[in-house]
Amino acid sequence: MTENETGTASGTADTDGTPATDGTTPGTDGTAPHFWQGSFIHEAEARRRLADLPAAVEAALSSVLGTETVLAACDALSTALRDPGHPVRARLAAHLPAGEDPSVLAELGALLGRRELTRKLRRELGGASPGRLNRADPRESVYEAWAPVGMVAHIAPGNAVTVAPLSIVEGLLAGNVNVLKTSGDDTLLTQHLMAELAAMDPGGAVAARIVVLRFPSSRQEWLRLMCAPADAVAVWGGEDAVEGVAAHVPAGCRLVEWGHRISFAYLTGAARSDSGTLDALADDVCLHEQQACSSPQVVYLDTADEGEVFAFAERFAAVLAARPPAVTVPAAGGPDPAAEAETTTTELVARLEEHLGLTKVFAAPDGSWRVMADTRSPLTASPLHRSVWVKPLPRERLIATLRPMRRYLQTAGLAGSVTDIAELSRTVLAAGVTRVTPVGSMLESYAGEPHDGVYALQRYSRRVAVRADPVRFATTACLDDLAGPVVLPPPAGPLVGKEDVREPARKPARADAELYFRSGGSTGAPALSVFSYDDYDTQMHAAARGLLAAGYDPVGDRTANLFYCGGMYGSFISFFSVLERLGGVQLPLSAGPDHRETARALIEHGADTLFGMPSYLWQLLHAQEEALRAYGGLRKVFYGGEHFTPEQQRTLAARFGIETVRSITYGSTDLGPLGYQCTESSGGVHHLHADLHTMEVVDLAEDRPVAPGETGRLVFTTHARRGQNLGRYLIGDLGREVPGRCPCGRHAPRFELRGRTGDVMRVATHFLNHRRFLALAEEQGSHRGELQIRLDGGGARERLTVRAERSGSTDPVRLREVFLAGYPELRSAVSEGLLDLLVEAVDGVSLDRSPMSGKLLAVVDARR
């Protein structure tokens, strides 16, 4: 998880003391010492369950562990660990080893946040949902994913409190069952950390994949039972520790060695005389007392001059002498007797070799630090605890000198000019180093950084592929959609609206605010919605999968992107990105006033598919009807922002030969894509992007669910979002859940859009809906155009004017009769003398539209 785990080339894998006695031995704090799939258990029960471990693993693997489930649980634990007053942090602090700084819990919390883990997933496995079987290339029916290896056995070191829990989290992110062994004399910190993590997932999927056992390595039978069903065994420690575990690794099982490593600093001529460089080097030596693999044990100088080596060692010794002494706690800390003996022996040998002119030793009188200059270049492990070798190594001999030790090399801290750093980086990497940093930051790491030259998540995963029939699966972008429903954490908290999410407290942090989209202002004042680039990429891939489901063909379709590129630029840019990810042929023309020029471009470049808003596409097609009908090449229309009515769709088919007319997506500027249509969908029916969001339908007036199938306010909670909490968001639309599984075979829930909340009008004591007027006009009045309602006050009665777009079949008198006959509430208001009803035929250009987006305003309320 991080490069700064404790462990060096001279350390041991764990510090088990005397073997614990069998039986029900409690842990050091009086509790059971083992955590098994959500429960603390004693020795006898652990022994019994170990014998049945293969069956427990198979049962856990029978269901899929969603990445979002792990991320949500880790993020919740991260929040608790970073809060000094949180009860979870207080409970865990009681299990810290003696002398361990409680701030280590906050450091651990920082590594478990959604931002860091999502970045790690993207770096190591290519995306935030790597386990889903998506098309590797949208133009081919080949599906690839990262699958768990199955079960990972983790053999943790006994000298680093964060390594064990972070190792389990890596195994969980890859979807594995994880069985971890801690040292026999460790505290129960890891067990209780994992219990707190499991508690953050109320569904229990995380708990089902975690087992933490505490026993000494001398208990070989337990180690054998633990490794027997493993598909990968991860072990920390030196060669002896790895050898001891390897004996229990079954054939075909992946052995993942996180062995001890040696790191060094390399200083060029100018750098070694710079006081700032020496101070930075001392920081690397003193931080963690060289207990991290990335701590420098040797300082190499780019020289062959022995005198320069001795002179530098003396200068650096003065810098170390000025540092505050190490703070150690006897119960936890300082060198143990064996380490002290190694340090003393190493120093004595170096002093003896001074008489041969090979070495020179500079050491603290109290033995708290030592700098040992050596004229011989080969890499030598340090006894640690502020013990540093200084050696000559001209750059031309770097590879020959270091390559024999390549199995043990980790970090090289470089100091020199910009050119030096570039050249030396390539050289030390060729010699076997896996990590290069500036001197002074050798122990620092970043989320997703490779560990010892590999990505941990890839070591705990398999790359799998499914090749499907290209005809039968032409519109299937993700196989998992057909296999089962996505499980996401249930939404919680109060309902929030547009104004709520724009409050300063809810705005994303500056680090997450990378992409700003201005809304079209169709339903209010234009506003900015903020995304990270990772969020945007996730959403565009989702929209691309939805477009495939709707029947878009990235191989055969030639698409004109005719969304607006002015005030409402979001759709144009987004679907440019979608087509880019699909690899589809694209003509990014954008919507413009010159319909003749747009039609010419469509015909000249052979476009057969149109993306755009219905109002614009309707105007374009009718303005250039003669040319486009003569062309005869248009086949598909994918629309967004508004709706094509059934009558309009029939007109597109009859006059222009358009075979497919579907929603391109359902979404919002704030939340991104929310739903998509499949080839079995029509009208306002969409599938939910269930891997990104959960959806609720709540009452028009109260925060309570409506009865199944009833219309209510649509509420969305987005889960795949970094830096901004958009939970239980009122989108402003009305809709209803569509019961049953879709004939297309997808498990994603379906919903039907039933208009905007603003389309519902309170007029003359009645609630009237614009959608009802439109349906009556089309189904009984043979109306084929747009429809707008205007409300005016004044006098004793209100006035409702239905403005119908004029066409050859528009009959205002007939439409008024249809409305009164088919809408009882309207008829009642008119008959009671509370409302005047007018119907008029108007040109489409005279209908009121949003000045920013060009969308038709369904209801214009002039009473206010």
Side-chain angles (χ1 to χ4, degrees):
M1 181 69 79
T2 173
E3 296 293 344
N4 296 340
E5 81 286 355
T6 307
T8 63
S10 57
T12 55
D14 69 39
T15 54
D16 295 331
T18 14
T21 56
D22 287 339
T24 55
T25 306
T28 55
D29 62 347
T31 65
H34 312 293
F35 180 73
W36 190 292
Q37 295 181 311
S39 303
F40 280 90
I41 60 174
H42 290 277
E43 297 284 322
E45 180 64 14
R47 188 187 308 112
R48 185 188 69 79
R49 294 191 186 188
L50 264 175
D52 294 327
L53 182 59
V57 171
E58 291 163 9
L61 290 174
S62 63
S63 60
V64 176
L65 176 62
T67 307
E68 178 56 36
T69 300
V70 179
L71 289 175
C74 287
D75 196 53
L77 181 58
S78 169
T79 300
L81 292 177
R82 288 182 283 122
D83 179 359
H86 201 284
V88 168
R89 179 162 164 173
R91 289 196 295 268
L92 292 173
H95 298 284
L96 285 169
E100 186 71 53
D101 192 327
S103 66
V104 72
L105 294 176
E107 295 171 11
L108 183 61
L111 294 170
L112 293 178
R114 177 181 291 274
R115 177 187 176 87
E116 288 71 22
L117 294 185
T118 301
R119 186 182 183 194
K120 181 179 180 69
L121 282 165
R122 287 184 172 276
R123 279 182 178 271
E124 301 192 23
L125 299 181
S129 300
R132 290 181 64 78
L133 278 163
N134 292 313
R135 292 192 182 203
D137 183 335
R139 294 164 294 191
E140 300 173 349
S141 57
V142 175
Y143 304 86
E144 293 185 7
W146 287 100
V149 293
M151 179 199 137
V152 179
H154 306 259
I155 315 299
N159 56 356
V161 297
T162 61
V163 170
L166 291 177
S167 184
I168 290 181
V169 168
E170 286 177 330
L172 289 171
L173 287 172
N176 294 289
V177 176
N178 301 271
V179 181
L180 181 136
K181 169 199 173 302
T182 65
S183 297
D185 57 358
D186 271 356
T187 71
L188 299 183
L189 176 64
T190 299
Q191 286 86 333
H192 284 274
L193 260 168
M194 292 301 100
E196 298 289 359
L197 178 64
M200 299 298 181
D201 170 30
V206 170
R209 283 169 167 77
I210 301 176
V211 173
V212 184
L213 304 171
R214 191 184 75 166
F215 63 91
S217 297
S218 56
R219 193 177 292 178
Q220 292 291 296
E221 178 62 14
W222 278 38
L223 195 59
R224 183 188 67 78
L225 290 171
M226 174 180 163
C227 292
D231 300 284
V233 175
V235 57
W236 278 261
E239 291 180 345
D240 290 344
V242 173
E243 228 175 84
V245 173
H248 298 289
V249 175
C253 178
R254 186 180 297 177
L255 181 62
V256 182
E257 300 179 37
W258 303 117
H260 298 316
R261 298 291 185 266
I262 298 178
S263 299
F264 62 87
Y266 191 89
L267 281 55
T268 62
R272 62 177 175 263
S273 60
D274 177 65
S275 60
T277 300
L278 268 65
D279 282 334
L281 179 60
D283 291 340
D284 284 336
V285 170
C286 296
L287 185 62
H288 300 318
E289 304 303 316
Q290 292 179 289
Q291 293 298 294
C293 287
S294 51
S295 301
Q297 299 187 42
V298 178
V299 178
Y300 279 120
L301 306 180
D302 184 11
T303 183
D305 189 327
E306 297 175 0
E308 289 188 31
V309 172
F310 294 146
F312 174 85
E314 185 173 10
R315 292 199 306 277
F316 186 56
V319 176
L320 282 183
R323 290 298 169 115
V327 178
T328 60
V329 177
D336 60 26
E340 286 184 340
E342 181 185 2
T343 302
T344 302
T345 302
T346 302
E347 182 178 338
L348 285 175
V349 171
R351 288 189 181 279
L352 288 172
E353 291 184 327
E354 285 184 351
H355 301 291
L356 302 175
L358 297 174
T359 61
K360 195 166 186 179
V361 178
F362 304 89
D366 62 357
S368 60
W369 58 265
R370 60 201 51 77
V371 179
M372 300 167 287
D374 189 345
T375 59
R376 295 160 293 187
S377 297
L379 192 67
T380 306
S382 157
L384 313 181
H385 304 287
R386 301 194 187 187
S387 302
V388 184
W389 291 100
V390 178
K391 293 170 173 274
L393 183 55
R395 65 180 68 195
E396 58 271 15
R397 299 209 319 256
L398 260 168
I399 293 180
T401 302
L402 296 176
R403 183 166 162 73
M405 296 290 286
R406 61 189 178 276
R407 288 184 57 200
Y408 306 100
L409 297 179
Q410 193 207 65
T411 302
L414 303 183
S417 69
V418 172
T419 303
D420 287 333
I421 300 300
E423 293 176 351
L424 289 169
S425 293
R426 275 296 176 190
T427 303
V428 298
L429 291 173
V433 165
T434 60
R435 189 170 175 269
V436 177
T437 75
V439 167
S441 63
M442 293 178 66
L443 281 75
E444 296 178 11
S445 62
Y446 58 87
E449 184 173 10
H451 185 85
D452 291 347
V454 298
Y455 281 139
L457 296 186
Q458 291 187 4
R459 299 291 286 154
Y460 300 155
S461 304
R462 300 170 293 134
R463 190 63 177 170
V464 297
V466 175
R467 185 162 55 89
D469 180 271
V471 175
R472 296 175 62 201
F473 290 84
T475 60
T476 302
C478 178
L479 277 187
D480 294 273
D481 292 340
L482 304 177
V486 177
V487 178
L488 293 175
L495 296 174
V496 298
K498 292 180 183 295
E499 297 307 317
D500 298 315
V501 300
R502 292 183 179 118
E503 294 175 355
R506 289 184 178 269
K507 287 185 177 179
R510 193 175 184 87
D512 296 320
E514 296 167 334
L515 184 59
Y516 290 75
F517 274 113
R518 190 182 191 207
S519 74
S522 306
T523 56
L528 286 176
S529 296
V530 185
F531 301 84
S532 70
Y533 281 119
D534 284 348
D535 291 341
Y536 179 73
D537 180 64
T538 297
Q539 292 180 354
M540 294 305 100
H541 277 290
R545 293 193 295 271
L547 198 50
L548 280 176
Y552 180 78
D553 178 7
V555 175
D557 293 348
R558 299 179 62 83
T559 306
N561 184 348
L562 295 174
F563 281 105
Y564 286 96
C565 197
M568 193 179 179
Y569 57 83
S571 295
F572 179 82
I573 293 174
S574 297
F575 285 101
F576 181 96
S577 299
V578 167
L579 286 169
E580 181 182 29
R581 283 156 178 77
L582 287 170
V585 176
Q586 175 174 190
L587 306 176
L589 300 176
S590 81
D594 192 341
H595 296 322
R596 181 177 180 181
E597 177 58 26
T598 300
R600 185 198 63 78
L602 297 178
I603 296 168
E604 181 178 338
H605 297 292
D608 56 19
T609 302
L610 306 181
F611 285 7
M613 291 179 61
S615 57
Y616 173 78
L617 296 177
W618 187 259
Q619 294 171 36
L620 169 66
L621 291 170
H622 284 79
Q624 294 296 310
E625 180 173 355
E626 184 178 346
L628 292 174
R629 289 184 67 179
Y631 166 54
L634 299 180
R635 291 290 177 266
K636 297 179 181 180
V637 167
F638 294 97
Y639 62 88
E642 301 168 310
H643 294 281
F644 271 120
T645 68
E647 282 299 321
Q648 288 175 321
Q649 293 190 35
R650 282 190 283 271
T651 299
L652 295 181
R655 292 190 186 178
F656 300 95
I658 294 174
E659 301 161 358
T660 299
V661 181
R662 287 201 182 91
S663 166
I664 197 169
T665 193
Y666 166 66
S668 77
T669 310
D670 287 326
L671 295 178
L674 297 166
Y676 62 93
Q677 289 199 324
C678 66
T679 54
E680 300 291 336
S681 301
S682 61
V685 175
H686 290 73
H687 284 276
L688 177 70
H689 279 294
D691 55 332
L692 302 184
H693 315 282
T694 51
M695 186 192 75
E696 303 167 80
V697 183
V698 302
D699 184 76
L700 292 173
E702 302 176 16
D703 182 6
R704 61 176 178 81
V706 300
E710 284 191 5
T711 297
R713 294 175 293 169
L714 296 180
V715 179
F716 294 92
T717 297
T718 183
H719 298 268
R721 191 73 173 264
R722 194 185 84 197
Q724 188 175 26
N725 179 16
L726 292 176
R728 306 204 72 210
Y729 186 90
L730 284 163
I731 195 70
D733 284 336
L734 302 174
R736 68 178 188 94
E737 289 190 54
V738 177
R741 188 173 173 184
C742 182
C744 75
R746 291 174 176 83
H747 288 267
R750 289 181 295 161
F751 58 95
E752 182 181 13
L753 297 173
R754 309 283 283 187
R756 300 282 300 173
T757 52
D759 293 350
V760 178
M761 308 155 275
R762 188 172 181 86
V763 183
T765 75
H766 295 284
F767 284 104
L768 304 178
N769 194 323
H770 173 272
R771 285 293 182 97
R772 186 81 173 271
F773 283 92
L774 185 59
L776 288 168
E778 290 182 345
E779 295 168 8
Q780 299 179 33
S782 302
H783 178 65
R784 289 175 173 78
E786 295 180 308
L787 198 76
Q788 185 174 76
I789 293 176
R790 178 183 173 91
L791 300 172
D792 294 284
R797 291 193 294 267
E798 294 178 319
R799 183 169 67 251
L800 186 152
T801 305
V802 180
R803 310 177 70 200
E805 182 186 8
R806 182 181 286 112
S807 67
S809 60
T810 304
D811 182 349
V813 175
R814 170 62 181 154
L815 285 176
R816 189 176 188 278
E817 294 173 352
V818 166
F819 295 145
L820 290 172
Y823 210 149
E825 293 86 353
L826 176 68
R827 184 171 64 251
S828 175
V830 171
S831 64
E832 292 171 11
L834 301 175
L835 181 68
D836 287 333
L837 174 64
L838 303 177
V839 179
E840 59 185 31
V842 300
D843 292 332
V845 294
S846 68
L847 294 171
D848 293 318
R849 302 180 188 276
S850 165
M852 293 298 298
S853 67
K855 288 184 182 179
L856 176 72
L857 299 178
V859 177
V860 178
D861 194 342
R863 296 173 297 179
R864 299 187 279 276

